[in-house]
C-alpha cells in the first residue's frame, strides 16, 4: 500500500521535507516545482511510512486503499506523473536524492536578534514569519489592517474546502510565539506611515497580497449586480468590508466570466445544496441567501477554447461530483467540440469529454434542476440593464449573443494595489524588487502576490517567502539593514495611539473562542463575526450580535 496526494494539495512542500525516501515530487529544488498543479507520490518508491500524511497542513494525503468516490481518481493521477519517467530524466540524476535548500539560512552564532515587521497575516506573511522564527532568533511584529488574522485563508478559501483552511491552524500556533507581537486593526499608509514602521524595526516585509480585481473595461460593468468574483468570495466568507446586501440571488441565471479556480468556486457555491454548506463556516447571511436563492444555472464564459481551461484538473474533476448538479458544454461554437474530442489524455479538455453537449437556446429560461454550463470562445462585450443586470452580450462565432442573467461576476484575476511609501509597477500591479528586496527602499521587502503577481496557490508562498527571508538575512549579515531608531516597546505605544482599536494575540484568541462557541450553537465549525465592530467586541470578550 502506498499513499496518494489528493485534491486539496497546497504544494507548500512540507511533505517533501519529511519523506525519508524522497518519493514526493517535484521538490523545491527541481525546475518543475511551481509549474505543476500539485505534488505527487511515486508509488514505486513510497514505503508506506505515513510521515507525509502526518505533516500535510491541509489533510490532502491518504493511503490509497482508504480513498473513496471521487478521491480514487487521484491514485491514477499520482502514478501518471511518473509513468513515462520523462520527469526523472528532466530532473537529472539526483531525482531521488535529497537536495540542498534553495535559500540556506545562516547567521553568526553571536548575531543580535533583529526586529522584523510583517505586514499581512495571510499565507505569504505567515510563511515568512515561520521561516524567521524557526531559523533565526528574530523578533517578529505581525500587523494587519483587519482586526482578525488569516488573510486569504480566512476570506479567500471556499467554505466547502475545510481541509485547505487547515493550514490556518499551523499559522495560528505562531500567533502566541514568545518572540511574536501582534497588532491587528492597524493599517500602514493610514494609521501610520511606512517610514514610521521602518523606524521601529530593522526590516519590514510587506505581504499585502493583491486585494483588488482586474476590470474588463466594457459598458455596463458597474451596473448593480455586476461584481468582481472577489467580492462574491468575500461575501460568502463574511469579510467585514463586504456587507450582506452586496449580493442578490433573485435571478435564475448567473454569468461568470473566467474558468479558473475562483470561477469554479463561485459556480459551485451558487448551485450547491445549501444543506451541504450548513455544516461549514460560510457566512450566515450567505447561507440564508442561498437557501432563498432563485439561481438554477451558472454560465462559465471562457474567452479561449477548452484547451485553455485555467482551473486545476483536480478542481474540475471535483466539480463533476456535485450531487444534483448537471455539467453541460455549450455546443454553439463548432470549435469547442472538435478541441475536446482531439484533446490528448491528461489534458484538461479531455476531462470534460464525457459531458453532455447542448446547443443552448439562451432566449429560454434555464431548464429544471441545477446546472453549470461551460461556454468557450466567448467573451463579454457589454453588460445590459437599466437599474441592474438584465443580460450579458457575449461574442459568438456567428455574431454576438445576449444571455439573460440577473448577476454577472468577473473572475479574471486579482491585482495588487500601491503601498504608500513603496515603488509600484502599474503594469504588473506589483512592487519592484530584487529577490524580495524592494528596489530603492533599504530594509523593506515583499513576499506573495504583491511581489510576484497573483499566481500560485497557498503553498507557493512558502518558497516565495524563503527567497525573501534569505535575501533579508543576507542583508543583515552584510550590515545593510538600518538600525531601529526606537526601542522595541515603542511601536506598540505608537500603534495604540494611532489606531482606534488594536487587537493583540489574546484578543485574537478571544475572537476564535467566540466564533467556535457560536458554531457549536448551530452545529457548525464556527460562525464568523461579519463586521469590524463585532470582531472588536469579541476580542474584548463581549458578544455583539451579528446576523447568523
Amino acid at each position: 500500500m502506498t499513499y496518494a496526494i489528493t485534491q486539496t494539495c497546497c504544494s507548500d512542500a512540507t511533505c517533501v521535507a519529511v519523506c525519508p525516501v524522497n518519493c514526493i515530487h517535484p521538490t523545491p529544488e527541481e525546475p518543475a516545482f511551481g509549474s505543476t498543479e500539485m505534488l505527487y507520490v511515486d508509488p514505486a518508491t513510497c514505503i508506506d511510512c505515513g510521515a507525509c500524511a502526518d505533516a500535510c497542513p491541509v489533510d490532502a494525503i491518504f493511503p490509497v486503499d482508504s480513498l473513496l468516490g471521487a478521491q480514487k481518481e487521484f491514485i491514477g493521477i499520482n502514478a501518471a506523473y511518473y509513468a513515462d519517467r520523462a520527469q526523472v530524466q528532466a530532473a537529472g540524476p539526483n531525482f531521488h536524492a535529497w537536495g540542498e535548500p534553495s535559500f540556506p539560512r545562516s547567521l553568526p552564532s553571536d548575531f543580535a536578534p533583529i526586529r522584523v515587521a510583517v505586514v499581512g497575516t495571510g499565507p505569504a506573511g505567515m510563511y515568512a514569519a515561520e521561516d524567521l522564527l524557526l531559523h533565526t532568533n528574530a523578533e517578529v511584529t505581525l500587523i494587519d489592517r483587519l482586526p482578525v488574522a488569516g488573510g486569504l485563508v480566512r476570506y479567500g478559501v471556499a467554505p466547502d474546502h475545510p481541509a485547505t483552511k487547515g493550514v490556518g491552524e499551523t499559522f495560528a500556533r505562531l500567533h502566541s510565539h514568545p518572540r511574536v507581537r501582534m497588532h491587528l486593526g492597524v493599517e500602514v499608509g493610514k494609521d501610520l506611515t511606512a517610514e514610521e514602521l521602518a523606524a521601529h524595526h530593522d526590516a519590514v516585509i510587506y505581504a499585502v497580497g493583491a486585494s483588488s480585481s482586474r476590470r474588463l473595461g466594457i459598458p455596463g460593468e458597474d451596473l448593480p449586480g455586476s461584481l468582481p468574483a472577489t467580492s462574491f468570495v468575500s461575501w460568502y466568507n463574511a469579510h467585514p468590508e463586504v456587507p450582506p446586501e452586496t449580493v442578490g440571488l433573485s435571478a435564475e441565471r448567473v454569468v461568470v466570466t473566467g474558468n479558473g479556480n475562483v470561477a469554479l468556486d463561485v459556480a459551485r457555491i451558487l448551485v450547491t445544496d445549501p444543506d451541504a454548506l450548513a455544516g461549514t463556516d460560510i457566512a450566515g447571511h450567505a447561507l440564508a441567501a442561498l437557501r432563498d436563492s432563485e439561481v438554477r444555472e451558472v454560465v462559465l464564459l471562457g474567452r479561449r477554447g477548452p484547451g485553455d481551461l485555467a482551473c486545476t484538473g483536480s478542481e474540475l474533476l471535483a466539480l463533476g461530483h456535485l450531487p444534483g448538479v448537471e455539467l453541460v458544454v455549450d455546443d454553439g461554437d463548432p470549435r469547442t467540440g472538435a478541441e475536446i474530442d482531439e484533446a490528448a489524455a491528461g489534458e484538461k479538455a479531455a476531462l470534460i469529454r464525457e459531458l453532455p453537449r447542448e446547443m443552448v437556446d439562451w432566449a429560454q429560461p434555464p431548464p429544471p434542476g441545477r446546472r453549470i454550463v461551460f461556454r468557450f470562445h466567448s467573451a463579454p462585450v457589454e453588460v445590459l440593464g437599466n437599474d441592474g443586470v438584465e443580460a450579458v452580450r457575449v461574442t459568438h462565432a456567428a455574431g454576438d449573443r445576449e444571455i439573460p442573467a440577473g448577476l454577472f461576476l468577473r473572475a479574471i484575476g486579482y491585482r495588487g494595489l500601491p503601498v504608500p511609501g513603496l515603488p509600484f509597477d502599474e503594469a504588473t500591479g506589483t512592487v519592484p524588487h530584487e529577490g524580495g528586496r524592494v528596489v530603492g527602499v533599504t530594509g523593506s521587502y515583499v513576499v506573495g502576490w504583491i511581489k510576484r503577481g497573483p499566481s500560485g496557490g497557498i503553498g507557493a508562498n512558502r518558497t516565495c517567502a524563503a527567497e525573501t527571508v534569505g535575501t533579508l538575512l543576507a542583508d543583515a549579515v552584510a550590515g545593510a539593514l538600518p538600525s531601529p531608531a526606537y526601542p522595541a516597546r515603542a511601536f506598540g505605544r505608537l500603534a495604540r495611539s494611532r489606531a482606534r482599536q488594536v487587537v493583540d494575540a489574546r484578543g485574537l484568541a478571544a475572537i476564535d473562542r467566540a466564533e467556535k462557541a457560536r458554531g457549536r450553537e448551530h452545529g457548525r465549525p464556527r460562525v464568523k463575526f461579519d463586521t469590524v465592530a463585532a470582531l472588536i467586541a469579541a476580542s474584548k470578550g463581549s458578544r455583539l450580535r451579528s446576523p447568523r
Side-chain angles (χ1 to χ4, degrees):
M1 180 182 70
T2 64
Y3 280 71
I5 299 176
T6 62
Q7 177 189 348
T8 56
C9 176
C10 71
S11 300
D12 83 341
T14 299
C15 54
V16 173
V18 300
C19 177
V21 293
N22 203 28
C23 73
I24 302 175
H25 296 273
T27 72
E29 293 73 45
E30 294 165 10
F33 186 80
S35 63
T36 59
E37 295 180 346
M38 55 183 283
L39 305 182
Y40 307 87
V41 173
D42 184 352
T45 310
C46 177
I47 61 173
D48 187 28
C49 70
C52 57
D54 292 339
C56 178
V58 294
D59 197 24
I61 308 178
F62 302 93
V64 296
D65 64 354
S66 72
L67 296 177
L68 301 173
Q71 296 290 66
K72 284 186 176 181
E73 295 179 278
F74 288 91
I75 300 173
I77 290 172
N78 278 255
Y81 183 75
Y82 302 90
D84 61 7
R85 317 307 291 176
Q87 59 274 23
V88 177
Q89 298 169 4
N94 295 321
F95 183 73
H96 280 299
W98 290 101
E100 292 297 320
S102 299
F103 310 106
R105 303 287 175 264
S106 60
L107 285 175
S109 58
D110 59 348
F111 201 81
I114 56 175
R115 302 205 308 262
V116 182
V118 178
V119 183
T121 59
M126 293 311 299
Y127 276 124
E130 179 185 54
D131 197 336
L132 286 164
L133 294 168
L134 289 179
H135 297 106
T136 76
N137 59 354
E139 299 170 355
V140 176
T141 303
L142 293 177
I143 301 167
D144 202 297
R145 66 183 182 86
L146 293 176
V148 65
L152 189 64
V153 174
R154 180 178 172 96
Y155 293 121
V157 177
D160 59 347
H161 282 7
T164 304
K165 291 176 179 283
V167 71
E169 299 300 320
T170 301
F171 298 147
R173 291 196 288 269
L174 302 176
H175 296 161
S176 57
H177 192 285
R179 285 187 278 119
V180 169
R181 296 293 178 269
M182 180 174 284
H183 302 278
L184 306 177
V186 178
E187 185 172 352
V188 179
K190 177 182 177 182
D191 298 315
L192 50 86
T193 67
E195 292 77 14
E196 288 173 322
L197 181 60
H200 288 78
H201 298 85
D202 294 277
V204 180
I205 299 175
Y206 289 89
V208 295
S211 57
S212 68
S213 59
R214 293 175 57 195
R215 292 181 59 84
L216 290 163
I218 61 175
E221 186 172 7
D222 295 318
L223 276 171
S226 175
L227 303 168
T230 53
S231 294
F232 186 79
V233 171
S234 294
W235 173 78
Y236 66 58
N237 275 319
H239 196 294
E241 295 176 342
V242 180
E245 62 273 16
T246 298
V247 176
L249 303 177
S250 59
E252 294 181 317
R253 180 181 288 130
V254 175
V255 173
V256 180
T257 183
N259 51 35
N261 281 355
V262 172
L264 265 60
D265 282 348
V266 166
R268 191 179 65 252
I269 294 298
L270 281 167
V271 297
T272 293
D273 184 344
D275 287 342
L277 297 171
T280 73
D281 68 351
I282 189 171
H285 59 252
L287 182 60
L290 289 165
R291 289 195 185 280
D292 295 334
S293 172
E294 299 292 331
V295 176
R296 292 190 286 115
E297 180 179 271
V298 179
V299 183
L300 293 175
L301 296 179
R303 180 168 57 88
R304 295 184 291 272
D308 293 299
L309 274 160
C311 58
T312 59
S314 59
E315 290 295 324
L316 186 59
L317 286 170
L319 202 64
H321 294 277
L322 276 179
V325 177
E326 181 186 18
L327 303 187
V328 176
V329 175
D330 177 18
D331 209 19
D333 190 306
R335 293 172 292 180
T336 295
E339 291 170 13
I340 292 174
D341 292 337
E342 294 168 4
E347 294 182 358
K348 272 177 269 192
L351 298 179
I352 59 174
R353 185 172 291 150
E354 303 305 318
L355 296 184
R357 302 174 197 175
E358 177 183 327
M359 294 286 290
V360 180
D361 183 356
W362 297 110
Q364 299 300 316
R370 292 169 288 138
R371 71 177 191 170
I372 296 172
V373 180
F374 289 92
R375 178 179 169 87
F376 298 100
H377 297 293
S378 187
V381 293
E382 184 177 6
V383 184
L384 304 170
N386 295 313
D387 298 325
V389 174
E390 298 175 10
V392 181
R393 187 160 61 87
V394 302
T395 57
H396 183 76
D400 292 352
R401 294 284 188 272
E402 288 186 13
I403 301 179
L407 180 64
F408 174 66
L409 302 173
R410 61 179 190 272
I412 56 172
Y414 294 76
R415 176 178 169 79
L417 294 174
V419 179
L422 301 185
F424 188 70
D425 186 332
E426 287 288 350
T428 62
T430 60
V431 171
H433 69 94
E434 297 171 348
R437 182 192 302 111
V438 176
V439 173
V441 186
T442 302
S444 291
Y445 303 82
V446 284
V447 67
W449 284 1
I450 195 63
K451 170 187 174 185
R452 66 181 191 274
S455 63
I458 290 174
N461 292 298
R462 190 180 190 193
T463 304
C464 180
E467 179 188 47
T468 294
V469 172
T471 300
L472 187 158
L473 296 180
D475 289 347
V477 172
L481 297 182
S483 298
Y486 300 94
R489 293 183 180 274
F491 180 73
R493 293 192 293 269
L494 174 66
R496 289 189 296 272
S497 71
R498 297 290 183 79
R500 294 183 59 187
Q501 302 284 353
V502 179
V503 176
D504 59 11
R506 184 175 297 178
L508 180 62
I511 293 173
D512 184 60
R513 289 193 301 271
E515 290 186 337
K516 288 178 177 176
R518 283 156 53 94
R520 287 192 294 271
E521 294 174 6
H522 302 282
R524 302 174 60 190
R526 72 171 64 233
V527 173
K528 295 177 184 173
F529 295 102
D530 55 11
T531 66
V532 168
L535 287 163
I536 294 295
S539 74
K540 299 177 182 299
S542 305
R543 294 292 297 274
L544 181 63
R545 294 182 63 84
S546 62
R548 295 200 202 94

